[in-house]
Amino acid sequence: AGGGGGGGGGNGALSHTKASYIIDGIAELRRVEREARVAHAAGRPYPPGHDSRPVRVAVYSERRKTLDQLGHFLYLRFGDDAISQFWGRWRNSELDKFRSGRVRYWRCAQCPTRHDDGARAAGGREVEFPETRCYGRHLVVEISAEHAPPGMHLADGQASFSVTVSEEDARRVGELGFLQGTVWTVGMPIETRVRSPLTGGFGPWVGGRLSNFRKCGARMPDAAPWEARSVDCFVLLLTRDGSHGLDLSMLTHIFLADQVWDPAVEHQLVARAYRMGATGSVH
């Protein structure tokens, strides 16, 4: 098992250098995996020493703050579907997402259309199993009229317009994207994208002012079915809380985001992956 760098600072902060090391390392593993699959599909053998198992990575830290920070950068690089986190009330469904590569959900029609590309954009928020009440938050953003997309009707002399977006589709000025745990306050400057009434697509990021926000809280309709879709989930964020005794025999790699001071804890982490049922080595 290989570590992802040395110990972090005493306040649990994650340096950009360490985050880059871990993220670039995972990206390189995925690149090698893709190239090997393409070669194998073309009839060429796997390179000597290549592990034909799908890349499955656990990133471990004893500090939740470290994993929250790293998770933000991982989401930006690989997307929401690629990441699962084993803590909190949804940890079992997150672990199932990582193990099975499937997500169960219902669609909340009360939430604004998400900015995701493709078919997932057409119908509000996906609320993942087992939640039966929507946990989304809506932001009302006031935007200058100069940023109105073609086809949007504004009254003569109207200086601004408002759009309602999901919080994941907004960001603080200066951020690369939505940051989990952002504290919103009325009047703060934020950025979002505006949907075109002509094409249905979303334009570039534009600045605005937060004029209101609220939690959705809509309940799952009685007649609504649980839907499911496949996801390519290959990163599991793991902390000590609630992770004892897990079977992680599907792992191919472990990154330690900071120093594990208790050798017994590090040994136990590796033992969860390199155990009966594992079909290859763990790096």
Side-chain angles (χ1 to χ4, degrees):
N11 61 0
L14 180 75
S15 70
H16 286 279
T17 301
K18 187 184 296 184
S20 296
Y21 172 84
I22 294 173
I23 294 170
D24 290 346
I26 295 172
E28 176 64 12
L29 292 172
R30 293 279 289 176
R31 183 193 66 78
V32 172
E33 178 186 33
R34 286 193 301 269
E35 291 182 354
R37 286 182 176 178
V38 169
H40 187 70
R44 299 191 296 273
Y46 286 120
H50 175 74
D51 189 342
S52 61
R53 295 176 299 164
V55 170
R56 291 291 182 271
V57 177
V59 180
Y60 179 84
S61 174
E62 297 187 341
R63 302 185 181 98
R64 273 284 305 278
K65 182 177 180 180
T66 296
L67 290 179
D68 285 341
Q69 292 173 327
L70 179 58
H72 169 63
F73 294 113
L74 287 166
Y75 283 124
L76 291 177
R77 180 69 176 268
F78 300 115
D80 188 21
D81 287 345
I83 317 300
S84 60
Q85 54 189 37
F86 190 74
W87 62 75
R89 59 189 300 187
W90 298 294
R91 64 188 182 194
N92 289 331
S93 58
E94 287 283 296
L95 183 62
D96 183 64
K97 170 185 173 181
F98 180 72
R99 286 174 167 169
S100 68
R102 293 183 65 78
V103 168
R104 296 177 64 195
Y105 66 94
W106 61 278
R107 195 175 292 278
C108 177
Q110 302 300 316
C111 282
T113 299
R114 291 295 314 278
H115 294 182
D116 308 61
D117 294 329
R120 292 180 58 198
R125 172 186 298 276
E126 292 180 0
V127 182
E128 295 185 7
F129 179 85
E131 283 296 312
T132 57
R133 184 184 286 270
C134 181
Y135 43 72
R137 291 213 289 178
H138 304 170
L139 310 183
V140 181
V141 186
E142 184 179 352
I143 300 173
S144 173
E146 65 182 299
H147 297 304
M152 176 178 283
H153 176 71
L154 298 179
D156 291 341
Q158 184 174 339
S160 63
F161 63 97
S162 295
V163 295
T164 301
V165 300
S166 294
E167 69 170 347
E168 294 90 346
D169 295 321
R171 66 188 186 189
R172 293 183 298 194
V173 175
E175 298 284 356
L176 295 176
F178 168 69
L179 181 61
Q180 190 72 36
T182 296
V183 177
W184 305 108
T185 56
V186 171
M188 70 184 296
I190 63 174
E191 296 177 329
T192 188
R193 299 163 65 198
V194 181
R195 190 176 191 180
S196 168
L198 300 179
T199 66
F202 291 90
W205 290 89
V206 297
R209 183 183 66 86
L210 181 62
S211 61
N212 198 5
F213 61 92
R214 67 179 180 86
K215 188 173 181 178
C216 177
R219 288 190 176 275
M220 179 181 182
D222 293 337
W226 286 106
E227 302 180 55
R229 61 182 176 84
S230 298
V231 295
D232 183 15
C233 182
F234 53 89
V235 178
L236 176 66
L237 301 179
L238 190 64
T239 188
R240 183 188 294 196
D241 296 340
S243 59
H244 296 289
L246 278 181
D247 178 7
L248 299 176
S249 57
M250 78 294 294
L251 290 182
T252 58
H253 296 78
I254 298 173
F255 285 84
L256 304 180
D258 46 30
Q259 181 70 47
V260 180
W261 297 106
D262 186 347
V265 173
E266 182 174 346
H267 175 76
Q268 183 188 51
L269 172 65
V270 176
R272 293 178 205 155
Y274 195 63
R275 61 187 296 174
M276 185 177 296
T279 57
S281 57
V282 181
H283 304 278

